[in-house]
Amino acid sequence: MRKIKVAVIGVGHLGSIHARIYRHMPEAKLVAISDINHSRLKEASRQLGVPGFADYNQLFGKIDAVSIATPTRLHYKVGRDCLREKISALIEKPFTSNLTQADELIKLAKKNKLTLQVGHIERFNSAFVATRKLIKNPRFIECHRLSPFPYRSLDVGVVLDLMIHDIDIVLGLVKSKIRKIDAVGINVLTPFEDIASARLEFSNGCVCNLTSSRISDDVMRKIRIFLADSYISLDYKNEDAFVYKRNKRGISKKPLPIEREPSLRKELADFLKCVKNKSKPIVCGEAARQALAVAIEINNKIWRRKN
Ligand code: NAD
């Protein structure tokens, strides 16, 4: 089996995990890494046993595919440069800083017949995968994604940093157009919103409330989905899910059987499979663009209200 030659650009918190996973995947050969932070690059290169380059242009000609885990403001430039060099790309979320950039990357990947995937990792969460087939016609959805202040990813607000995960999941679950968006957000420790609440109303009547915070004491990543005859409560962090149903005595609660496997490993395996087979990724550029469009609209509502 020919191994896919991969590299990781940006080996900070998340990129270093991408690199470690690729290193152990039989279908991949981790060829090199790149980071502008010299001490980080040197250490990661030593630990992984692969060459490290400060300039990602040095990777060109050596690889078939790349994970891009730089700060968001660089996703477009780095993604564009790689796609131009005929390298398939898995770009971390949020896809890009704006929709024009997203459209350009989608077009470029199509033109060069390359795989373009975006790192909306919750699609690969084992609890979500187990639950997905039970979810038909949601009527009401509630999402909570709270975390302590990260001291990273501060080039965007909490909507593009955290809420976008839930937006992507919800858009995949509700097969209807958004009719109305309301949102409120507050900046506390950064110039961007650090806590935000949004309400999406869909044309088919489904309503979705999203709450995200990056200034919370506790970590919470939950979604509650109300269907016509049942209610599903899913915890992404603990990777468990319960189905609640009305019965003669009240409400029954049953855990869903879940085969747990690390989400990022599954995400990277999906990427490599798509690169090999030229198939469409679960989170393709178009899907990520849709989530980005809604996130930007939520942001606009927040900042219009504030100003
Ligand atoms: P980080 O700051 O820890 O890492 C970013 C790295 O990129 C740093 O090491 C930095 O030196 C490097 N970098 C900057 N410019 C570069 C360049 N020109 N060439 C090469 N390297 C460069 O940030 P992080 O938390 O790892 O986040 C990285 C990306 O991953 C962000 O887009 C973030 O939104 C995303 N992310 C996604 C998830 C998820 O759940 N999917 C979780 C965390 C972060």
Side-chain angles (χ1 to χ4, degrees):
M1 181 180 71
R2 187 179 100 76
K3 291 185 179 232
I4 297 169
K5 290 184 268 174
V6 293
V8 177
I9 303 179
V11 282
H13 168 73
L14 196 60
S16 58
I17 309 177
H18 279 238
R20 276 207 301 276
I21 296 176
Y22 280 135
R23 184 93 173 72
H24 291 105
M25 291 174 87
E27 63 271 46
K29 178 172 170 50
L30 181 70
V31 169
I33 54 171
S34 168
D35 202 297
I36 52 163
N37 180 320
H38 284 270
S39 55
R40 188 171 288 167
L41 180 67
K42 204 170 148 203
E43 180 55 17
S45 176
R46 189 190 62 77
Q47 281 179 4
L48 295 158
V50 297
F53 300 104
D55 178 358
Y56 64 83
N57 286 276
Q58 303 252 318
L59 300 170
F60 299 162
K62 300 183 176 73
I63 53 172
D64 309 306
V66 68
S67 275
I68 299 172
T70 60
T72 302
R73 63 180 185 283
L74 295 171
H75 287 182
Y76 163 71
K77 183 182 180 301
V78 181
R80 182 200 60 193
D81 293 349
C82 291
L83 292 169
R84 276 184 182 161
E85 290 295 321
K86 310 261 167 51
I87 298 165
S88 287
L90 165 52
I91 302 182
E92 260 310 331
K93 54 61 31 193
F95 187 9
T96 51
S97 305
N98 62 54
L99 296 177
T100 312
Q101 295 176 346
D103 288 336
E104 203 184 308
L105 295 190
I106 291 169
K107 216 168 123 192
L108 192 53
K110 239 182 221 145
K111 184 176 146 225
N112 287 345
K113 299 190 173 53
L114 296 165
T115 301
L116 173 60
Q117 182 169 329
V118 179
H120 284 288
I121 193 168
E122 298 294 29
R123 297 267 204 121
F124 298 90
N125 182 288
S126 301
F128 180 71
V129 172
T131 308
R132 180 66 192 90
K133 45 193 172 294
L134 302 179
I135 307 169
K136 298 210 171 69
N137 255 330
R139 293 179 159 185
F140 175 57
I141 303 179
E142 190 143 55
C143 306
H144 284 95
R145 191 169 291 265
L146 317 177
S147 76
F149 193 63
Y151 296 95
R152 290 182 286 106
S153 301
L154 300 180
D155 57 338
V156 293
V158 75
V159 173
L160 282 173
D161 185 18
L162 299 185
M163 192 184 278
I164 197 153
H165 283 292
D166 297 310
I167 296 170
D168 171 64
I169 290 286
V170 166
L171 294 183
L173 295 178
V174 185
K175 305 289 172 216
S176 177
K177 286 210 155 53
I178 295 178
R179 191 165 62 84
K180 189 174 172 218
I181 297 180
D182 279 326
V184 61
I186 293 167
N187 62 311
V188 179
L189 295 179
T190 74
F192 305 104
E193 75 291 344
D194 295 310
I195 178 160
S197 166
R199 180 180 165 91
L200 312 181
E201 286 182 31
F202 291 85
S203 300
N204 67 359
C206 180
V207 171
C208 171
N209 286 339
L210 304 135
T211 302
S212 298
S213 165
R214 57 180 179 188
I215 48 163
S216 162
D217 265 351
D218 304 314
V219 177
M220 184 194 277
R221 283 158 48 197
K222 281 193 173 177
I223 183 166
R224 298 176 179 87
I225 304 156
F226 295 82
L227 309 170
D229 62 346
S230 58
Y231 146 58
I232 295 166
S233 174
L234 186 158
D235 186 327
Y236 294 104
K237 182 169 162 270
N238 296 330
E239 294 193 308
D240 60 31
F242 294 89
V243 182
Y244 296 76
K245 274 194 175 158
R246 205 171 51 207
N247 61 21
K248 284 184 191 129
R249 278 176 294 148
I251 293 177
S252 69
K253 174 184 176 182
K254 278 202 183 126
L256 271 179
I258 290 163
E259 280 177 44
R260 292 189 178 82
E261 206 192 317
S263 310
L264 188 56
R265 204 196 170 286
K266 283 195 280 182
E267 181 184 286
L268 300 190
D270 189 53
F271 175 54
L272 295 178
K273 187 188 84 192
C274 294
V275 172
K276 183 170 170 240
N277 302 338
K278 299 249 171 238
S279 50
K280 192 172 174 184
I282 291 174
V283 190
C284 59
E286 286 85 352
R289 187 213 187 267
Q290 273 182 23
L292 182 65
V294 175
I296 289 173
E297 184 60 26
I298 289 172
N299 251 331
N300 290 343
K301 296 265 173 184
I302 289 173
W303 291 97
R304 243 180 258 143
R305 186 191 282 262
K306 272 182 83 76
N307 296 328

